[in-house]
Amino acid sequence: MDGAQDLAGRITAALTGDGDLDAAIAAVHRLPGHGARRGEFAAELVEAVIRREPMTRPDRLRALDGLLVLADADPPRTARWRRWRAAGRAMALAFAAAEHRLPDADAALAEIDRLAADAADAPSMKPMFASARLSVEYARAAAEDDAAAMTRLAQRLRTIGESAVSAGAESAAEVSDVAAAMGEMMAAQRSGADVAESLRKIRAAAEALPPDHPMRATAENALAMSGMFINSPGELNPDVIADLASRSSFGPMDQPLVRATAAIAALADEVDPEKITRAIDEFRTAIAGVGEADAQRPFYLTGLALALFRLGEVTNSVAPMAEAETVLVDARRLAGGPRHPQWTMIAELLADVRSRLGLDSGRGGLDGMRAHVWQVLKQPDLAGASIAARDAAVDAVGIARRCLAAHDVAGALQALDAGRGLALFAATEAHDVGARLEDAGRHDLAARWRAAVASRDRTPPPDDLRREVLRVAYGEDHLLDPPSPAEISAALLRIDADALIYLVAGDAQLAGYAVIAAAGGGLSYMALPNLHATGATDLDAYLAAAAGRDLVESGGVSSRDLSPQVAGHALAGSLDALCDWAWRAAIGPIIERYLTRVPVPASRRPHRIVLVPMGELARIPWQAARRRDGAYAVQFIAISQVASARMLCRSAALAPVAPSPLGLVVGDPDTGSSGLDLPAARAEAYAIHRQFYLGARYVGRRPDGSVSPSGPAAVRQVRSWLTATSPAAGSTLHLACHALIQTDPGSATSYLLLAGGQRLTVDELVGLLGGAEDRAVGLVVLAACSTGLSVNGYDEAYSLGTAFLAAGVRSVLFTQWKIPDAATSVLMYMFHRYRMAGSRPVWDALRRAQLWMLDPQRQVPPDMPQQLRDQLDRTDPAAVVGWAGFVHGGQ
């Protein structure tokens, strides 16, 4: 056995550059505990490991933990050691994250921040801590299956690489390029996007590195992993699995994960019991190799359960199913709750297993919907929320169908709403979180959060702050649940409506459904065999025509500019057939089979329903559903729409705002070259202002084209009105202008186009009103095009109209397509006349105005200005395209 002197000599030789560093690391562990300078040597070796190209030697990074333990037992009392100890620990944490050995990424990030503060007097070390932090964030995003976070991290890596090139550090830039490309590929896989471009970038970045560079091997591993996917994520190629699982280039910590992933791939459509049994053995081996606290254990357990479930299916055997249930219960326990990335998969698979065992009534998957809500809530922006919510509505409809098969209407309601409007819900919740934190006694955290969301540059709060805030504010899982049937019933009573009705489309094999929550508390559902969103020729023709006018090209397209001649072609033609289909598919059965059993309200008002149309059904003008005799739904009932039951309850809980002649009226701002002039919109806005809101401020252009003395309708003027707290500001906003949609991937949004071509976006609107606790807006009228069109998927329902509702506006009128300028001006005048002169509720005023447009014996009121009478002569008021595009939301 070597003596202490010989061991010390080896260590000293390595530290001076004359010996082997690996031998020195082994030697320091063999030194006696006292009197042999073990702590001092270990501290010097920590510095040596970090200085000597650690990325080329992963085994040396693994040695850091042990060296730090020795050094901390008898540490040098120097500032130098304090700095290098901090750097060593940060690097050890980063490497542990890369090897999936980090039990708590958030705690590791907080520790890295503390370590960076310990070394603040060494600016040259700052990039080291930034790199360690980025590595842990990257591992956390991958472990949590957070595609949006991976995209953001990839963008940061690109920025780091560009900075490295500017600083002359080309090798660092090459490493950043590889890491960024890998992040982009993982994000693309998880979001369902095409990975081809990301794979090309990985290949190009890897080829720029030396053949023996460890990042090159990592990139090649990533390319090999991508071979499991033939055309898209989820379509697995079993031909590459055996080779992939046996690759020696995967590290010892990665190998079980790779083999488990390969085993899952092998299960795709597999019917051979022997092959499925081999996959089961792979998972049992992986589970045996990890401890109870290992972050990968729930993943391995879920994979084992999936394989057992598959074996039970193909052999028609109960025993594998029963074991699968036991395994999933254990996986669920380890996952802990909706914050775990495998939570949804565990919950849904457990529901399927229990259903096969006769132990589940259909509700089992509901628990998994909480994970969708949590994933969306923690995203800092709309793009991230959209990615996180991409599967929520599909999962929700599947769970709802299982619940309805078991006649569990309450479960179906909960499932449908849990997958609906999640991005909108997250944006709304950002302004309520402060109060939740105060209730939890975290006044310091509430102050930090409010400061972050109120930042002038409107940058999202940092990810770490958002995560900490949400953990405190949503400590109870039930806070992620949608409202109960009792809460929905109470909300309906407050807004004087008869029922909330979810419309769920079917297909060629499955019927559609109307799932109904009544104001009186009853729950029911109706099968709707004709409610098919896919394959319905009438619906497809309408959507094609409407989309052609809703999608906006760069440079701007005028809105409200459909002449009667244009309107008479694709859109108007498709609407005729669609109106007939809408009656057959849903509205006719609802009126004739459901509402005929609902007592007539004591006020003698018409029956009023609030619709939540799922998926593409949100684009349908249900108020224009037409019976065989030519009568429209609006002639029998009143129809409002809402993004979700959450939004209904939120809106209904707000105190009503009485109408007044005060507010802000915007009339056709001069947008420069961004949009065409809207002469009828000017006449409309000016007449509404003069007749009904004389105390309001009028901005924009007057009918003669001159700019109002009160201002041109610049963004700052609308923004100032939205945030005003003086009662003199009024409570009504009428916008007769352009509204456009930007559909660029990653930056989709919609916005109002105001004076000088300035934009007021949907995201800013949520922030402006949502943060103004003393602001009470009673009505916003969006007399502009496609203001109800969602910017990120129909079920997300995130539009200009819903943004105002989510921000606390009591009632909003929004549009489903590009509305014709002339007809809109007349309809809007009549709406405000019924609301102000007739003292009608907003929903009723809109319905009455639409009925007036339909009435061949309509009487033109004597107070309608001549300019609007002229517009009336230029259009057919009864044409569906002219009156049915407006929808009411809110109270």
Side-chain angles (χ1 to χ4, degrees):
M1 180 176 181
D2 297 325
Q5 189 171 355
D6 289 337
L7 294 171
R10 293 180 195 177
I11 297 169
T12 302
L15 291 172
T16 57
D18 294 330
D20 182 77
L21 186 58
D22 296 318
I25 292 172
V28 77
H29 283 282
R30 293 162 58 192
L31 281 174
H34 300 286
R37 299 173 56 201
R38 188 170 68 171
E40 180 183 340
F41 278 139
E44 293 183 35
L45 286 171
V46 167
E47 181 175 345
V49 166
I50 296 172
R51 284 185 178 278
R52 298 186 190 181
E53 297 293 332
M55 287 305 296
T56 64
R57 294 293 303 272
D59 54 327
R60 288 182 181 169
L61 287 177
R62 260 182 227 112
L64 280 174
D65 283 324
L67 291 173
L68 287 167
V69 170
L70 295 180
D72 286 342
D74 185 19
R77 308 297 179 181
T78 64
R80 181 186 183 85
W81 166 240
R82 176 173 50 80
R83 292 192 293 268
W84 283 104
R85 193 241 176 239
R89 176 59 180 161
M91 194 161 283
L93 287 169
F95 193 65
E99 290 198 326
H100 320 295
R101 292 186 288 109
L102 211 56
D104 189 338
D106 292 330
L109 289 168
E111 184 178 354
I112 290 172
D113 289 341
R114 292 193 297 271
L115 294 167
D118 287 343
D121 56 349
S124 62
M125 287 185 168
K126 187 174 180 180
M128 194 181 305
F129 294 105
S131 175
R133 195 177 209 292
L134 195 61
S135 297
V136 175
E137 288 183 87
Y138 201 92
R140 180 178 66 180
E144 293 184 354
D145 202 23
D146 191 338
M150 281 184 236
T151 300
R152 294 192 296 273
L153 289 167
Q155 292 168 347
R156 282 169 56 190
L157 283 164
R158 293 279 181 208
T159 302
I160 290 171
E162 292 166 2
S163 300
V165 170
S166 301
E170 282 76 11
S171 61
E174 291 166 349
V175 171
S176 293
D177 286 345
V178 173
M182 289 173 59
E184 290 167 359
M185 182 195 70
M186 288 190 289
Q189 285 179 336
R190 284 158 174 78
S191 63
D194 185 7
V195 300
E197 178 60 17
S198 298
L199 294 176
R200 186 195 65 76
K201 289 180 180 179
I202 292 175
R203 197 168 284 110
E207 289 172 355
L209 296 173
D212 60 346
H213 197 288
M215 279 300 288
R216 181 161 185 159
T218 300
E220 290 170 352
N221 287 341
L223 291 170
M225 286 286 286
S226 71
M228 286 196 300
F229 301 95
I230 300 173
N231 296 317
S232 63
E235 189 173 352
L236 299 170
N237 183 353
D239 295 336
V240 302
I241 293 170
D243 174 68
L244 178 65
S246 62
R247 287 174 68 93
S248 61
S249 53
F250 287 106
M253 303 301 295
D254 285 325
Q255 192 67 259
L257 180 61
V258 172
R259 294 183 69 85
T261 303
I264 288 179
L267 290 173
D269 300 321
E270 184 56 70
V271 295
D272 185 341
E274 184 177 340
K275 292 181 179 179
I276 297 173
T277 300
R278 285 203 294 269
I280 290 173
D281 292 340
E282 286 284 0
F283 284 114
R284 294 197 195 280
T285 300
I287 293 167
V290 297
E292 182 82 359
D294 192 286
Q296 297 301 328
R297 190 175 181 89
F299 172 72
Y300 297 149
L301 288 170
T302 306
L304 173 60
L306 181 64
L308 290 166
F309 178 75
R310 189 77 178 135
L311 183 63
E313 281 187 316
V314 300
T315 61
N316 196 28
S317 174
V318 173
M321 290 284 184
E323 185 183 355
E325 189 208 10
T326 301
V327 169
L328 286 168
V329 169
D330 192 30
R332 190 179 187 277
R333 174 185 62 81
L334 291 174
R339 294 157 181 77
H340 195 278
Q342 265 84 54
W343 186 259
T344 297
M345 184 177 181
I346 292 170
E348 292 181 353
L349 184 56
L350 184 58
D352 287 340
V353 168
R354 286 177 168 169
S355 177
R356 293 300 181 93
L357 293 171
L359 303 174
D360 184 72
S361 63
R363 277 198 176 204
L366 280 173
D367 200 31
M369 293 304 299
R370 292 192 179 105
H372 285 300
V373 182
W374 175 256
Q375 287 291 334
V376 173
L377 274 175
K378 73 181 183 183
Q379 300 302 327
D381 54 32
L382 176 60
S386 302
I387 293 173
R390 69 189 183 277
D391 298 326
V394 175
D395 290 348
V397 170
I399 295 168
R401 285 187 174 280
R402 290 203 295 267
C403 290
L404 291 177
H407 306 292
D408 179 7
V409 186
L413 284 171
Q414 184 178 355
L416 291 172
D417 211 65
R420 173 87 183 169
L422 297 185
L424 183 66
F425 173 58
T428 304
E429 285 296 291
H431 301 288
D432 288 346
V433 164
R436 290 191 188 276
L437 295 174
E438 297 281 3
D439 292 342
R442 291 297 306 274
H443 307 290
D444 58 328
L445 194 55
R448 287 171 55 203
W449 176 255
R450 286 172 173 147
V453 298
S455 61
R456 289 182 176 272
D457 61 1
R458 304 199 179 279
T459 56
D463 281 7
D464 291 342
L465 173 60
R466 190 177 192 91
R467 287 165 180 269
E468 182 182 2
V469 161
L470 292 175
R471 271 197 303 270
V472 174
Y474 293 91
E476 299 289 337
D477 289 345
H478 69 81
L479 293 176
L480 303 177
D481 290 340
S484 67
E487 291 171 313
I488 295 172
S489 174
L492 291 167
L493 291 172
R494 282 194 294 270
I495 67 169
D496 193 24
D498 296 307
L500 177 73
I501 302 179
Y502 299 77
L503 295 179
V504 182
D507 56 31
Q509 287 77 39
L510 298 171
Y513 284 99
V515 183
I516 306 168
L523 300 177
S524 59
Y525 69 98
M526 300 169 55
L528 299 172
N530 294 317
L531 189 60
H532 293 172
T534 56
T537 304
D538 301 334
L539 176 56
D540 289 343
Y542 163 69
L543 290 174
R549 292 190 168 87
D550 286 335
L551 299 181
V552 176
E553 300 174 358
S554 60
V557 174
S558 68
S559 53
R560 290 190 48 156
D561 59 351
L562 296 183
S563 66
Q565 291 75 24
V566 173
H569 288 84
L571 178 57
S574 66
L575 278 175
D576 286 337
L578 184 75
C579 292
D580 297 335
W581 174 87
W583 183 275
R584 296 193 310 272
I587 298 301
I590 287 171
I591 291 176
E592 295 165 355
R593 289 162 43 196
Y594 174 71
L595 290 177
T596 53
R597 304 196 306 270
V598 176
V600 175
S603 63
R604 312 302 295 178
R605 63 159 172 79
H607 284 306
R608 182 187 176 201
I609 62 174
V610 181
L611 293 180
V612 185
M614 301 292 290
E616 290 183 337
L617 300 180
R619 296 301 319 281
I620 307 303
W622 296 105
Q623 61 275 15
R626 185 168 54 197
R627 200 167 62 179
R628 286 185 179 181
D629 61 2
Y632 291 98
V634 72
Q635 294 173 283
F636 304 104
I637 62 174
I639 299 176
S640 299
Q641 286 194 25
V642 69
S644 64
R646 280 191 178 101
M647 291 298 109
L648 171 73
C649 293
R650 180 184 182 85
S651 179
L654 299 172
V657 176
S660 78
L662 305 177
L664 180 69
V665 179
V666 175
D668 187 28
D670 184 354
T671 62
S673 60
S674 299
L676 300 179
D677 292 344
L678 303 174
R682 287 181 224 163
E684 161 199 323
Y686 198 72
I688 288 168
H689 172 249
R690 300 296 295 179
Q691 293 291 341
F692 311 117
Y693 303 98
L694 196 55
R697 186 178 185 185
Y698 183 88
V699 294
R701 287 184 285 185
R702 295 179 289 194
D704 62 3
S706 62
V707 176
S708 168
S710 297
V715 165
R716 61 176 176 78
Q717 293 177 306
V718 179
R719 186 184 292 139
S720 176
W721 184 86
L722 289 170
T723 55
T725 57
S726 170
S731 60
T732 296
L733 173 62
H734 182 95
L735 292 150
C737 59
H738 288 297
L740 302 179
I741 298 170
Q742 177 176 302
T743 57
D744 299 336
S747 60
T749 188
S750 58
Y751 56 89
L752 298 169
L753 191 62
L754 299 172
Q758 296 176 320
R759 301 178 177 187
L760 187 57
T761 67
V762 61
D763 299 339
E764 184 176 355
L765 287 171
V766 173
L768 285 172
L769 276 171
E773 297 177 356
D774 297 328
R775 187 67 163 120
V777 178
L779 171 66
V780 170
V781 178
L782 293 166
C785 290
S786 305
T787 51
L789 179 64
S790 177
V791 302
N792 60 337
Y794 300 119
D795 282 306
E796 276 312 293
Y798 198 107
S799 68
L800 286 165
T802 57
F804 275 111
L805 286 169
V809 175
R810 278 35 171 195
S811 286
V812 178
L813 300 190
F814 49 87
T815 56
Q816 292 183 289
W817 54 68
K818 279 188 170 290
I819 51 177
D821 198 25
T824 295
S825 63
V826 180
L827 176 69
M828 289 294 93
Y829 183 86
M830 294 305 298
F831 161 73
H832 284 286
R833 192 174 192 277
Y834 283 119
R835 182 194 184 226
M836 297 301 290
S839 300
R840 305 306 307 171
V842 173
W843 62 267
D844 189 43
L846 175 62
R847 177 175 179 267
R848 287 172 184 265
Q850 291 172 326
L851 291 175
W852 183 88
M853 297 283 279
L854 283 169
D855 185 1
Q857 306 299 320
R858 74 186 69 84
Q859 298 294 312
V860 179
D863 53 18
M864 180 180 286
Q866 187 60 46
Q867 285 180 305
L868 291 186
R869 291 171 181 261
D870 294 340
Q871 300 297 335
L872 187 59
D873 293 337
R874 294 175 52 198
T875 187
D876 176 9
V880 173
V881 71
W883 63 265
F886 277 86
V887 176
H888 168 263
Q891 295 180 353

